[in-house]
């Protein structure tokens, strides 16, 4: 066993995963950024969805200083984070058939939009149906998931498929099944998850690519600035007014 501290070992593991994601997913990140830029340029809207802890990465690109103002959170009641009580209800809702269709039918998502779906395992009914139904509506879908789960687990959707099977583009987070990077002889279970670190980094890389792609086309990227810098509120007010028909978290 290494004599390095658990903290140092976790940082090493996270850095190694980030390097793998950077190198192995470069082409997919570029394509995903271009897809989002295409959507913005053609008048479409951007949405992000995740359930449970996967929602953290989706929320990280919504209403974010330095991020695209057009990215909206597609929220499903009871599965955004761990604020629902009991927390286990959120996990149960991820397995409910038909919930994704009900959410999409009552959301502003429409043909020509783009939807980023984050699901570490990609095996539950909610993310699978969200992707399947969104594409049926004419929405472009980017999935962020761990492809390893498709080889080592079984789908919980009636079709036997995973999130990755219903996406226009897939970003593989490289996270091992179980999402725990460390073990110790004195600890009875693996621990220290890194999926949030890696998934958030992948999505921010996609956002950066989209912003640069828009600029290359002569389109000013609709970026938000921090409200804690001078002029930030005024800047954001201008962007939100210009794109008010594509920003849903402000209404």
């Amino acid at each position: 066993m290494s004599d390095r501290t658990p903290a140092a070992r976790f940082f090493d593991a996270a850095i190694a995963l980030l390097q793998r994601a950077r190198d192995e997913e470069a082409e997919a990140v570029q394509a995903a950024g271009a897809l989002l830029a295409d959507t913005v340029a053609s008048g479409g809207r951007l949405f992000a969805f995740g359930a449970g802890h996967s929602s953290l990465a989706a929320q990280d690109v919504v209403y974010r200083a330095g991020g695209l103002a057009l990215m909206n959170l597609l929220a499903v009641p009871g599965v955004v984070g761990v604020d629902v009580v009991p927390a286990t209800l959120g996990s149960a809702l991820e397995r409910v058939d038909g919930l994704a269709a009900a959410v999409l039918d009552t959301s502003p998502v429409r043909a020509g939009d783009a939807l980023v779906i984050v699901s570490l395992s990609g095996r539950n009914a909610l993310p699978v149906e969200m992707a399947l139904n969104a594409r049926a509506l004419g929405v472009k879908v980017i999935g962020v998931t761990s492809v390893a789960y498709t080889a080592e687990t079984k789908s919980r959707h009636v079709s036997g498929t995973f999130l990755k099977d219903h996406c226009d583009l897939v970003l593989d987070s490289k996270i091992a099944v179980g999402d725990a990077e460390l073990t110790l002889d004195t600890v009875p279970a693996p621990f220290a998850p890194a999926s949030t670190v890696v998934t958030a980094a992948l999505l921010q890389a996609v956002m950066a690519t989209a912003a640069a792609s828009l600029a290359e086309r002569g389109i000013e990227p609709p970026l938000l600035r921090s409200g804690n810098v001078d002029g930030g509120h005024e800047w954001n007010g201008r962007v939100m007014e210009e794109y008010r028909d594509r920003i849903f978290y402000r209404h």
Side-chain angles (χ1 to χ4, degrees), residues 98-225:
L99 181 56
V103 169
L104 283 170
D105 287 346
T106 55
S107 78
V109 178
R110 67 188 185 192
D113 293 344
L115 172 61
V116 176
I117 300 177
V118 184
S119 175
L120 178 61
S121 72
R123 67 189 298 220
N124 289 314
L126 186 54
V128 172
E129 289 186 355
M130 189 70 77
L132 196 158
N133 290 335
R135 290 185 83 193
L137 290 173
V139 174
K140 295 292 186 181
V141 175
I142 299 171
V144 189
T145 188
S146 169
V147 175
Y149 276 82
T150 65
E152 300 179 40
T153 68
K154 291 183 179 179
S155 169
R156 290 181 175 140
H157 187 249
V158 64
S159 67
T161 60
F162 289 78
L163 167 62
K164 77 171 188 64
D165 299 317
H166 305 285
C167 297
D168 295 279
L169 289 168
V170 174
L171 301 177
D172 183 5
S173 64
K174 316 297 179 182
I175 300 296
V177 173
D179 193 16
E181 295 300 319
L182 302 184
T183 58
L184 278 176
D185 294 341
T186 54
V187 178
F191 59 104
S195 60
T196 303
V197 174
V198 179
T199 303
L202 277 169
L203 282 183
Q204 290 298 350
V206 170
M207 297 301 121
T209 302
S213 180
L214 285 168
E216 289 171 0
R217 307 173 194 206
I219 301 172
E220 180 186 328
L223 297 169
L224 294 173
R225 301 190 70 179

Side-chain angles (χ1 to χ4, degrees), residues 52-90:
H53 286 95
S54 289
S55 179
L56 295 175
Q59 293 179 61
D60 192 53
V61 295
V62 176
Y63 189 53
R64 185 66 190 264
L68 293 174
L70 273 59
M71 183 60 74
N72 301 277
L73 185 67
L74 182 61
V76 176
V79 305
V80 181
V82 291
D83 56 336
V84 63
V85 178
T88 51
L89 174 59

